[in-house]
Amino acid sequence: MKVRSSVFASVILILEVIGVALFLRGFFPVPVKSSVSSNSKLSDLPAEPLTGGSHNASHSPQPLFKRVVIMLVDALREDFVFGPSGRTYMPYTRHLVERGPTHSFVAKARPPTVTMPRIKALTTGSIPGFIDVVMNLNSPALLEDNLIWQAKTAGKRMVFYGDDTWVRLFPKHFMEYDGTTSFFVSDYTEVDNNVTRHLDSTLKREDWDILILHYLGLDHIGHISGPHSSLIQPKLMEMDDVLKKIHGSLISKEADGALPYLLVLCGDHGMSETGSHGGSSEAEINTPLVLISPAFKRKVGLEKPGTVEQVDLTPTLALGLGLPISQNSVGRVIPGVLEETPLRDQLRFLHLNGHQLSCLLKDSVSEYEKDAGFEQFRVAEKSHGSWTKLYLEGNTSEVLTNLGKKVLKQYLEALAAMSAALSKQLGKYDMYSMIAGMVFVFQLLLVLLLAMPEALSGAAEVELPVLPALLSLPFYLLCLLLASVHVLVCTSAESSCYFCSLSWAFVFAAVAFSSGMFCILVSMATRRLPSGPKIPGKSPLRSSGGGEWTLSELDVLLLAGTVGHTLSLAASSFVEEEHQTWYFLLNTLCLAVFQDVCRKYFREHRGSREEEEHFLPSKDCRPSVHPQAPLCSEKWLALATPPFTLACCRLLRSLNQTGVQWAHRPDMGHWLNSSEHKVVLSLIAAFSLALIYYLIQRRCSWVSKIALALGLLGVYSYRAAVGNVVFPWQHWDRNMSKGTVEARFVYIFVLGILFTGTKDLLRSQIMTVDARLRSRGLWEIYSGLVLLVCLLFRAHNLPVLCCCLLVQTLMAQFIWKNLHYDAAQTTIMHYWFGQAFFYFQGNSNNIATVDISVGFVGLESYVEAPAIFLTALSTYAGPLLWACHLVCYLSSERDRSPVAVAHGCYCLALLRSVPAAAYIVLVTALRYHLFIWSVFSPKLLYESMHMLLTAGVCLFFSTMEQRHTPNTS
């Protein structure tokens, strides 16, 4: 069966996406959970240890607090409270920390530091799986045992105001609630006012036991302008006033003899230096935890806050309210909260916490008896029994006190050890699904590699022996073998496997596919053997006249760079600082291109055309019938293009600091975004938009040119409306708006340009075969995409887009065409440039650098599909623009063979498949690495998303490929 190269590459990529999705389902582990399906109950609490007698089941400690108020400030960094700026930003809170009845801690949040997983951690005490980053966009109801469910079951009356993620996670749990959309980050005022407006009436009432407030404004300010914005201090002072109001109300209602209140101030995660979150930097994982209650001793001065895990709050609140601890909690009670309670109650609280952790340890670790924490807990439990016996006998000697202190210490050590052991068991990998996905991906990659000679041939068609493979005996034997392995694995597996839970129809399809691919691989490999028949004219590499393949110096560089980058992904430091790899490769590429330019023009000057052709041949460029000598200006422009590209790259590197090691250092982006330099940013943005118009309007129709000009004017108006730039007549101190009208104004012109380009494409392919009309349609679609990216980019990033278009124009006009680079070389260069510009935007392999605010440009409320699309487009704008430019360039060049587009599509698919396949092997081998969740897992998500987008681009390639008849002469 013959298949066009572009279609073949697109299908392979789509199937690889399915294989990677199966691998992801197995790799991102299910969090540690108890095997007991029902939730914890008060009746299930263990008896108090007692040596030499019947168990004393009667003693259950009384609740420590009558009312609890949880004030959760989204993205509250610990230095906002405990740092030097805390006295200015939150003076009342800081006074309580230093002089009030409080306990203060730095609570460490585990990555991923995004809201929904952190809420899960705070309410269940478990460490959510990393895949919860994806689920953060659409939070389903939480069915796992949690603090909110326990409180409702115990009859606690709960009121909630704030982030509607809580309402989605806990439907029908709150007596009263008012949720606000958490994803509309342009709003940082009304989103908090909607919470505070309920406070006065709610605090006066007596009909609630737990009040939860989740403020989002600080997080939204971080996403908009970062942690050093002038908006931060007013917002923190507003939060300080809210806490003062709550604390004053609780004090006024305090009654003698009644149980005290507890006021909790905490954050779900911190905020990086760029204002985002999701990663594992200190600024993102360190959050303040302030517990305020008259049950605590008053402080006499500022003490250094202790360090606890964020999940430790769950058992502390549960025991403080007299509730069972959630079954899946890995947290341990905070000892300071129990200091003022009787020793018997302290030991009982620690025993309950230890019993819950030991039960979870039994379900999570096969040899739990050998665990040091479990052994310590058993020893402490026996000592506790002896202490209880002495206590009940009325012993009041010093022996009882010393033994009690010893038991207390034993419990604390056992809790710490068991909690640490459970935290290491983040989850159980589904190795069967991982291996199945890995096998699928590698089978497809090998087919892609074996098809290279045919895919890059003059015919650009791949011969796939599908029918012979399906009719062969090995195919049916492999089906039986794989089906048997599947049954064996699924019946003997101790833990659940996703692949085993699929229906037999899907399993049979997967087995048949894998068996068929193996037979196809064997058949294609046999044809490639030296003894096999040679296919004339189907060598993808250039021949020097004999039968052997040769590589130019540029080919060696491109291959070595691609392979070297793939190998570098095995090191965590190279993953964290991957931008350095691409910057180095891009600089080296520019120098190599400059060498080729010098060879061409200076050798031509000496009349050595034969040597020039030896170094710069091309297999898919049609030779010109009447070659013309290059103009003098064209020669010097070609010579200047590589150095100019190097200068642009160096400038863009200083615009956005990225990676991990130097991300905190100030850059040009921070300087431009400061309020003092708004005029400079305005001038740069205006100049960039004008240059963007000049660069992309040349190939558009006059209607699209007008729409493009008005759209770019709308982009500047939108940035002026949201306060990033200013018009000359605009007052700086005017109130900012959301810019919704201006953004929708731009969307209208984007849709108009895309419609015009699509209409021209359809006319050129259906009604009449017109290459010029088709080329114009492609460039108009590209112009519409550029206009949309202009709207989504931050104002200081517009020079990145401007340099991208400028480099594309210069390289296309003076380098790729004049030096006769073939489609494969041009594709690899486009890919390298796209990867470098991904990091020039300020992106990294850290989830925290994803700018989610662009998902709400022009939207009044959160709409999931547009938000995801706009965020993905903005994040991958660099690779997408270079890939789309590659389609337009290869399709519109008249001197190129009709198969150039097919060659480019195949090379792009290969460039994306090789690192993705290699990386899933690396993360499998490194799945127990120290940095697997903080470094390698986010990169895996980026690789998967990049592959999905590349599959879409390759589909566009295949539709744009010209139908052609192979040359048989």
Short mmCIF file of all heavy atoms in Angstrom, two decimals, residues 857-874:
data_model
loop_
_atom_site.label_atom_id
_atom_site.label_comp_id
_atom_site.label_asym_id
_atom_site.label_seq_id
_atom_site.Cartn_x
_atom_site.Cartn_y
_atom_site.Cartn_z
N VAL A 857 -8.32 36.70 27.65
CA VAL A 857 -8.30 37.96 26.89
C VAL A 857 -9.59 38.06 26.09
O VAL A 857 -9.90 37.21 25.26
CB VAL A 857 -7.08 38.01 25.96
CG1 VAL A 857 -7.15 39.24 25.06
CG2 VAL A 857 -5.80 38.01 26.76
N GLY A 858 -10.36 39.09 26.36
CA GLY A 858 -11.61 39.30 25.64
C GLY A 858 -12.79 38.53 26.19
O GLY A 858 -13.88 38.56 25.59
N LEU A 859 -12.64 37.84 27.32
CA LEU A 859 -13.73 37.06 27.90
C LEU A 859 -14.23 37.73 29.17
O LEU A 859 -13.44 38.19 29.99
CB LEU A 859 -13.26 35.64 28.21
CG LEU A 859 -12.74 34.81 27.02
CD1 LEU A 859 -12.30 33.44 27.50
CD2 LEU A 859 -13.78 34.69 25.93
N GLU A 860 -15.54 37.74 29.36
CA GLU A 860 -16.13 38.29 30.57
C GLU A 860 -16.12 37.30 31.71
O GLU A 860 -16.14 37.66 32.87
CB GLU A 860 -17.58 38.74 30.29
CG GLU A 860 -17.68 39.99 29.43
CD GLU A 860 -17.33 41.26 30.21
OE1 GLU A 860 -17.02 41.16 31.40
OE2 GLU A 860 -17.38 42.35 29.61
N SER A 861 -16.14 36.01 31.37
CA SER A 861 -16.14 34.95 32.37
C SER A 861 -15.34 33.78 31.84
O SER A 861 -14.95 33.75 30.67
CB SER A 861 -17.58 34.52 32.71
OG SER A 861 -18.23 34.03 31.56
N TYR A 862 -15.14 32.80 32.70
CA TYR A 862 -14.31 31.65 32.33
C TYR A 862 -15.09 30.72 31.39
O TYR A 862 -16.16 30.22 31.73
CB TYR A 862 -13.89 30.89 33.58
CG TYR A 862 -13.18 29.59 33.27
CD1 TYR A 862 -11.97 29.58 32.59
CD2 TYR A 862 -13.72 28.36 33.67
CE1 TYR A 862 -11.32 28.41 32.31
CE2 TYR A 862 -13.08 27.18 33.39
CZ TYR A 862 -11.88 27.20 32.72
OH TYR A 862 -11.24 26.03 32.45
N VAL A 863 -14.54 30.50 30.21
CA VAL A 863 -15.09 29.53 29.25
C VAL A 863 -13.96 28.57 28.92
O VAL A 863 -12.92 28.97 28.40
CB VAL A 863 -15.61 30.22 27.97
CG1 VAL A 863 -16.28 29.19 27.06
CG2 VAL A 863 -16.57 31.35 28.30
N GLU A 864 -14.15 27.30 29.23
CA GLU A 864 -13.03 26.36 29.25
C GLU A 864 -12.33 26.19 27.91
O GLU A 864 -11.11 26.32 27.82
CB GLU A 864 -13.55 24.99 29.74
CG GLU A 864 -12.44 23.98 29.94
CD GLU A 864 -12.94 22.71 30.60
OE1 GLU A 864 -14.04 22.74 31.18
OE2 GLU A 864 -12.22 21.70 30.54
N ALA A 865 -13.09 25.91 26.84
CA ALA A 865 -12.46 25.61 25.54
C ALA A 865 -11.63 26.78 25.01
O ALA A 865 -10.47 26.60 24.64
CB ALA A 865 -13.53 25.18 24.53
N PRO A 866 -12.19 28.01 24.92
CA PRO A 866 -11.35 29.13 24.45
C PRO A 866 -10.15 29.39 25.35
O PRO A 866 -9.06 29.74 24.85
CB PRO A 866 -12.32 30.32 24.45
CG PRO A 866 -13.67 29.74 24.43
CD PRO A 866 -13.57 28.44 25.16
N ALA A 867 -10.32 29.24 26.66
CA ALA A 867 -9.21 29.51 27.58
C ALA A 867 -8.06 28.54 27.34
O ALA A 867 -6.89 28.94 27.31
CB ALA A 867 -9.69 29.41 29.03
N ILE A 868 -8.37 27.26 27.15
CA ILE A 868 -7.32 26.26 26.90
C ILE A 868 -6.64 26.54 25.56
O ILE A 868 -5.41 26.49 25.44
CB ILE A 868 -7.91 24.84 26.93
CG1 ILE A 868 -8.39 24.50 28.34
CG2 ILE A 868 -6.89 23.81 26.47
CD1 ILE A 868 -9.11 23.19 28.44
N PHE A 869 -7.45 26.85 24.53
CA PHE A 869 -6.90 27.11 23.21
C PHE A 869 -5.96 28.32 23.22
O PHE A 869 -4.84 28.26 22.70
CB PHE A 869 -8.03 27.33 22.20
CG PHE A 869 -7.57 27.85 20.87
CD1 PHE A 869 -6.96 27.00 19.96
CD2 PHE A 869 -7.72 29.18 20.53
CE1 PHE A 869 -6.52 27.48 18.73
CE2 PHE A 869 -7.29 29.67 19.32
CZ PHE A 869 -6.68 28.81 18.41
N LEU A 870 -6.40 29.42 23.82
CA LEU A 870 -5.59 30.63 23.83
C LEU A 870 -4.32 30.45 24.65
O LEU A 870 -3.25 30.94 24.27
CB LEU A 870 -6.42 31.80 24.38
CG LEU A 870 -7.61 32.25 23.52
CD1 LEU A 870 -8.41 33.32 24.24
CD2 LEU A 870 -7.14 32.76 22.17
N THR A 871 -4.42 29.74 25.78
CA THR A 871 -3.23 29.50 26.59
C THR A 871 -2.21 28.65 25.84
O THR A 871 -1.01 28.92 25.87
CB THR A 871 -3.62 28.82 27.91
OG1 THR A 871 -4.59 29.63 28.59
CG2 THR A 871 -2.41 28.64 28.82
N ALA A 872 -2.69 27.58 25.18
CA ALA A 872 -1.78 26.71 24.42
C ALA A 872 -1.14 27.47 23.26
O ALA A 872 0.06 27.34 23.00
CB ALA A 872 -2.54 25.49 23.90
N LEU A 873 -1.95 28.30 22.57
CA LEU A 873 -1.42 29.07 21.44
C LEU A 873 -0.36 30.05 21.89
O LEU A 873 0.70 30.19 21.26
CB LEU A 873 -2.56 29.81 20.74
CG LEU A 873 -2.15 30.73 19.58
CD1 LEU A 873 -1.47 29.94 18.48
CD2 LEU A 873 -3.36 31.48 19.03
N SER A 874 -0.61 30.74 22.99
CA SER A 874 0.36 31.70 23.49
C SER A 874 1.65 31.02 23.95
O SER A 874 2.75 31.50 23.68
CB SER A 874 -0.24 32.50 24.64
OG SER A 874 0.72 33.33 25.25
#
